[in-house]
Amino acid sequence: MDWVCLCNGITDDEVRRAICCGARRPKDVYAAAGHRAQCGKCTRDILALIRSTPPVGAEMRA
């Protein structure tokens, strides 16, 4: 477990779980965790995780 957002206490596991539930933007990840963006420093890391995780159902289309 790594911290992605220190302001809101969001971990990489929480980000991945939000992505698996359909989050495709940092705003969606914050909402899934019950938070809002604070300082914004984590947005780049959240975007990297979103971009490196296949969309929901992508494995079924392959």
Side-chain angles (χ1 to χ4, degrees), residues 10-56:
I10 300 173
T11 66
D12 58 338
D13 291 335
E14 290 175 286
V15 173
R16 285 189 182 92
R17 195 169 24 255
I19 294 167
C20 287
C21 290
R24 298 310 303 158
R25 299 178 302 167
K27 181 178 179 178
D28 301 332
V29 173
Y30 294 123
H35 298 287
R36 294 174 60 184
Q38 299 295 317
C39 75
K41 289 182 181 178
C42 59
T43 303
R44 186 178 319 145
D45 294 329
I46 293 172
L47 276 172
L49 285 168
I50 289 170
R51 290 176 179 151
S52 68
T53 304
V56 177

